[in-house]
Every structure is written in structure tokens, then in C-alpha cells.
Amino acid sequence: MSGAAPMVGRGPLAPQVRRAVHRAGRQRGGAVSDVVGQYARVEAAYAQPTLTLLHGSHAPVTVALLRACFSRETTTIETARMHQLVDNHLVDLRNDGHTVPDRTGRELCQKWVKDNWLGRDQNDDGTQVYALTSHAQSALNLVDSLEHGRPTLSKHRITTILDTVRNFNAEVNPSRQARVNILGARISELVAERDRLEQGGEIEPVSVDRVVEGFTELLRLVNALPSDFQRVTEQFERIRQQILDDFRSEARPPGEVIDSYLERANAMGQTAEGKAFDGAFALLGNDALLLQLRQDLDALLNHPHAEALTAAEKRELRSTVQVVRRGLDDVLTQWTRASKAIKDYVTTHDVVRDRQLDQTLRQLDREFGPWLARTGVRTRVPIQLLPETLDIDYLPRRFHDPASAAPPPPLAETAEDPAAVGDHIADLIAWGGPSIAALTEAVDDARANGSTTVGDVFTTLEVGMRRPADVLGLFHVADATLDATADHTQIEEFEAIRPDGTSRVFVTARTTLPATMTPEHTP
């Protein structure tokens, strides 16, 4: 056995052996040190919550549960409801024959919080809610991208890379003449293309693959927004928690704690997430840029080749502005909480009260010292936590007030002319809800002449019945009493007129109402 090779993979000498091998590899040219360094970086990456979520034994189950509970519209879920949802989904998976963790929904959620896949927060009303962390959102985005499996190599991708490199060079090149040359070439290309189109040049047809590829890139960028905003939110949450810990420990002066907060808040703008937050904030502050973004998205989604997208993908693209706005709201909320923690401490901190509390604690410590010296470890002292209750047969909590039994004063006349009262009632009716009976009659009359749509019925109504409320009333009639069908590939516009003369246009899916079988049309 003396000739056997020593075991260096385990045991207390393993770190020293690894370091020796690392130094020897560097002396021999760096081959071993490179792989050791690569392994250390890979090991650190695998320790991140994003990869631990995808690398666990029940990773498919965990990803499926998180995707089933959360969506683009549902970003937070109450804790009790989340526990019940996970329990229900676990039952469905077990019934389908899948192997799931032998835990309850509550236990799984607590484990996910510990693994930094779920975060717990508190709403304004005090309700505890769960939300996906940035690590979990990145993992779900990666699974989603692998699920689609669309090719990324194409002529457009190479062209995009070339354009990006050229634009980047135009921004950072220190040579003035080089920047002028790049900008001049770009202007010449754009002017030539504009002149060609103005002279009646042919527009090259766009293939379906090109459109799908462009939408895939857009979806990838849009899907990355929530996790980016969540990283900024989590950073402010860590800053707030650190501020509270520093204030409670009193290890540093309050002024130093506040200065540290301001420095860290300013440093946030230098990170990638902070720069993205600043860009999104500037976007929402520029109404013209925001309007242009919405118009461009509408034009792209109305393209004929956009039918290659699924309904969920179209909704994701249409909700781009809402995603940015929601992310900004979350970041600003955490920012406000961090600032509020400082404000509350500065405004409510009482030095005299803290000094009195410190004196009381010191006195208790002095009393406990001699007592612990003459007693054992397991000595118990009965302490009355609550005072004794008073033996009182009846304690009135409310006394009689004669004013509460007095009748209310008579109503005062608000108008001497009865006709004026009638005008007020007519005005209230005009601004009220829809007249279901009149709308039902109009729908029946239109159906008697053949198949029609809700939009056609709306155009036949009188001006006083083409209000925004009547649009909802028509769809209520169509949904409650008729077998109406909606075609989401086509749209209808409703130009509603309010009682004050202002108008507003509503856009809905084209909804067809079936024709009524009259006696002359009966076979």
C-alpha cells in the first residue's frame, strides 16, 4: 500500500494541494491555472440563485409552478393565496403522474424565499405578498427562450452587429475626422434611400422569417425588463435594510449612516441596472418619445406577417410601456421606503428617551449580576406579564346622548321652480348608465334585417344613446342574451359622444350578432 497514490481530492489538505497545483501550473506555463480559474468562476456562477433554480432535482416542477402562479399581469400574490395555489398545482401534477416534492405549498414557498427565488413584501394596506426575485425572473426568461428555440443566425443579425459596431465607433472614436467620415457615410446612405423611395423605387418585400426574427429580438429585450427593474428594487431594499440595522445598532453616528445612504444611492446610477432605470425614467418623462414608441409597436403588430406571433406574444409587446411604468413604480416605492426610514428616525428619535432606556438596562444588568452569582443555571423566577384583572360587574363604555335620539332636521328646498328639478334629473340620467331595454330593442331590430355587428348597431343609435356607457351596454346585451362571436383578427371603432359634446374612440374586436329568423325567412 505504500506505493498507492495519495488521496488529495478530500480531507483537510485538499485546499493546500489545490493551491500547490495552481502555483505549479502557473510556473509551467499557466495551463492548469487557467482551468482552475475557469472552474472557480463556473463554481461561483453555479452558486447564484438563477442557476440553482435550474439545476435542482425538482427544477422542472419549480419552474412550472412559478410560471403557473406569476405572469406579466400578476406580479405579486398574497401569501395565503400563494400557498393555496401551489397546493392545487401540486395535486394536479401528482394526478398527472409527475414526481413532485413531498412538501406543502407553504413549506415550498418558505424554501423558495430562503433560496432567494421568492421575495416577501408588504402592500400599502399591510398585506404580505410574494414576488419573484430578479434571479427567478432571469431563470424563467432563459427557459422561455430555450422553449421557443427560434434560430438567431441570419443576414439581419450580422447586419445589426455591423451597424451596432459602426454606431458605437461613431460615439467613442477619439478622432474627429473619423467621426465625421462615419456620420457622412451614414447620411449619404439614408439620403440615397429616401431619394430612391421618393422617385418610386420598389420596396423590397419582407419575408415572414425576417419579421419573426425581429419580433423575437423585441420579445427578448422586453422580457428582460422586469428582472432588470427587480435588481434595482432589490438593491434599494438592501440599502434600506442596512440603514435600519445601522440605526438600531448605533455602531455609527446617524450623520455617517445618512451620508453612506446618499453615497450608495448616487452610486446606483453607475451600475448597469441604474443606468437602465435612468433611461426608462427619461422615456416616461418624454411624451413625444413615448407616443412614438406606442405608434411604432402598433404599426409593427398590425403588419400582416405579425400573425406568426401568438396572442400571448402580442400582449407582451403591447404591454411594453406598462412594464416600464410598473418597474419604475416598484423602484420608486423602494426608494421612498429607504428615504422614509431615514426621515422617521430623524423625526422620531428621542435622545432623552434612549438615555433613560439605556440607564434602565444598565440597572437591570447590575441587578442580574449578583442574582446570577448566587443561583443555578435552571433557576426559574415567576414573572407576571399581565396585570391582574379588576373584578367589576359592569363598566359602562358609552353614555346616553339625548342628541342621538333627536330626529334629523327637515330637508331644505333647493329649487323654487319644479322645472329646474326636472332638468337636474334629466342631466343625471344623461350621465348615468346604459338603458338596457332600449339597447336590446335596437339590437333586435338590427338582427331582424340579417346578421350584423355590435359596431353597426352602435352607429344606428341616436346621438343621446351613443355614450361610452352605451358601448358597454351593447356588449352586455350581446354577451348576456345572444350567441355573439368575436373575431380578434379584426377590430371595430366606437366613436362615443358624451353629454357635454366631447367624444372618445374605443377599439374592440369585431363582434358579430346572429340574424333573427323571421317568418318570411323560415324554411
Side-chain angles (χ1 to χ4, degrees):
M1 297 298 291
S2 60
M7 299 294 292
V8 299
R10 297 179 182 177
L13 296 180
Q16 292 85 343
V17 173
R18 290 195 185 97
R19 285 194 291 269
V21 172
H22 180 69
R23 288 193 298 270
R26 293 183 59 184
Q27 295 173 359
R28 291 196 301 267
V32 177
S33 64
D34 289 343
V35 71
V36 171
Q38 292 290 346
Y39 180 83
R41 287 189 289 270
V42 172
E43 189 177 30
Y46 269 86
Q48 295 294 322
T50 300
L51 285 185
T52 57
L53 171 58
L54 301 176
H55 191 63
S57 57
H58 295 94
V61 175
T62 304
V63 172
L65 290 173
L66 294 178
R67 290 179 62 176
C69 295
F70 294 93
S71 64
R72 181 67 60 83
E73 293 77 17
T74 306
T75 57
T76 59
I77 302 177
E78 294 184 5
T79 55
R81 183 170 178 269
M82 180 69 179
H83 299 160
Q84 187 61 43
L85 281 176
V86 175
D87 285 331
N88 296 339
H89 294 324
L90 288 174
V91 172
D92 295 338
L93 291 174
R94 288 194 188 97
N95 294 337
D96 197 47
H98 299 285
T99 303
V100 299
D102 188 16
R103 296 190 181 187
T104 63
R106 180 186 182 88
E107 293 172 346
L108 277 180
C109 291
Q110 292 176 348
K111 178 181 181 300
W112 295 342
V113 172
K114 182 180 179 181
D115 293 335
N116 203 10
W117 303 337
L118 279 183
R120 297 191 66 168
D121 202 353
Q122 189 173 7
N123 287 337
D124 296 335
D125 57 356
T127 305
Q128 293 287 335
V129 295
Y130 286 116
L132 291 177
T133 63
S134 60
H135 304 288
Q137 291 179 0
S138 299
L140 297 185
N141 291 337
L142 178 59
V143 173
D144 185 67
S145 63
L146 296 175
E147 179 183 353
H148 287 83
R150 289 170 175 167
T152 57
L153 181 61
S154 65
K155 177 181 177 182
H156 169 71
R157 176 58 61 87
I158 302 300
T159 304
T160 303
I161 294 175
L162 296 176
D163 292 340
T164 302
V165 172
R166 184 173 62 172
N167 295 335
F168 183 48
N169 185 27
E171 293 178 2
V172 302
N173 198 308
S175 174
R176 182 186 304 272
Q177 187 59 40
R179 294 194 183 191
V180 171
N181 294 337
I182 295 174
L183 294 175
R186 187 190 309 170
I187 293 173
S188 299
E189 294 175 1
L190 295 176
V191 170
E193 179 63 16
R194 184 199 63 185
D195 295 341
R196 187 184 70 83
L197 294 176
E198 288 181 347
Q199 295 172 5
E202 182 180 358
I203 300 178
E204 296 183 4
V206 183
S207 63
V208 179
D209 294 337
R210 168 67 187 91
V211 175
V212 172
E213 181 183 357
F215 279 122
T216 302
E217 294 181 0
L218 282 177
L219 286 171
R220 187 179 296 110
L221 294 173
V222 172
N223 290 334
L225 286 176
S227 59
D228 292 340
F229 281 116
Q230 187 64 25
R231 289 189 185 94
V232 184
T233 303
E234 293 170 357
Q235 183 67 21
F236 275 111
E237 173 61 24
R238 287 191 290 269
I239 293 175
R240 186 180 73 90
Q241 190 60 43
Q242 183 64 40
I243 291 172
L244 295 177
D245 294 341
D246 291 342
F247 280 149
R248 291 165 182 167
S249 63
E250 295 186 353
R252 297 189 297 169
E256 184 178 341
V257 175
I258 296 175
D259 291 340
S260 176
Y261 161 71
L262 296 176
E263 292 176 0
R264 296 182 63 180
N266 293 331
M268 283 288 296
Q270 305 302 322
T271 63
E273 295 83 2
K275 293 178 181 178
F277 170 74
D278 293 339
F281 195 81
L283 172 64
L284 288 183
N286 191 333
D287 295 337
L289 192 60
L290 195 61
L291 178 61
Q292 184 63 45
L293 174 61
R294 288 174 175 169
Q295 291 175 352
D296 291 340
L297 287 174
D298 291 339
L300 290 173
L301 293 175
N302 290 330
H303 194 278
H305 293 339
E307 298 300 329
L309 297 176
T310 63
E313 291 173 339
K314 291 182 180 180
R315 286 196 302 268
E316 290 179 2
L317 290 176
R318 291 190 185 277
S319 62
T320 301
V321 178
Q322 287 78 3
V323 170
V324 177
R325 194 182 301 276
R326 188 186 303 119
L328 286 175
D329 291 340
D330 294 340
V331 174
L332 292 177
T333 299
Q334 289 296 340
W335 194 350
T336 303
R337 289 183 178 180
S339 303
K340 185 175 182 297
I342 295 178
K343 177 183 176 183
D344 292 344
Y345 179 83
V346 172
T347 56
T348 61
H349 183 62
D350 190 349
V351 179
V352 177
R353 184 182 59 185
D354 291 348
R355 187 179 296 112
Q356 293 175 351
L357 177 61
D358 183 68
Q359 293 175 356
T360 303
L361 293 177
R362 291 179 183 275
Q363 184 179 356
L364 288 175
D365 185 65
R366 288 194 299 268
E367 296 293 335
F368 269 111
W371 180 78
L372 290 175
R374 63 176 182 269
T375 57
V377 178
R378 300 185 179 275
T379 303
R380 297 183 179 182
V381 177
I383 299 177
Q384 184 179 359
L385 299 179
L386 296 177
E388 297 181 358
T389 59
L390 299 177
D391 188 10
I392 300 176
D393 295 335
Y394 176 72
L395 180 63
R397 296 178 299 172
R398 183 177 180 183
F399 297 94
H400 175 68
D401 184 7
S404 61
L411 296 177
E413 293 292 340
T414 58
E416 299 180 358
D417 187 6
V421 178
D423 294 339
H424 289 303
I425 296 176
D427 186 60
L428 290 175
I429 295 176
W431 284 96
S435 177
I436 300 300
L439 294 177
T440 303
E441 183 179 354
V443 170
D444 293 339
D445 293 341
R447 293 175 59 214
N449 298 326
S451 179
T452 184
T453 65
V454 176
D456 294 337
V457 176
F458 185 76
T459 56
T460 61
L461 298 175
E462 299 178 357
V463 177
M465 293 181 61
R466 293 205 300 267
R467 305 168 301 159
D470 296 319
V471 178
L472 301 179
L474 277 177
F475 278 97
H476 172 74
V477 173
D479 182 67
T481 61
L482 304 176
D483 188 14
T485 57
D487 184 4
H488 293 278
T489 61
Q490 301 184 29
I491 61 174
E492 283 187 317
E493 292 187 356
F494 296 79
E495 185 176 359
I497 302 175
R498 298 188 180 92
D500 59 359
T502 59
S503 62
R504 183 173 183 179
V505 177
F506 296 88
V507 179
T508 67
R510 184 180 179 86
T511 304
T512 304
L513 303 173
T516 304
M517 297 298 295
T518 57
E520 57 271 21
H521 293 91
T522 304

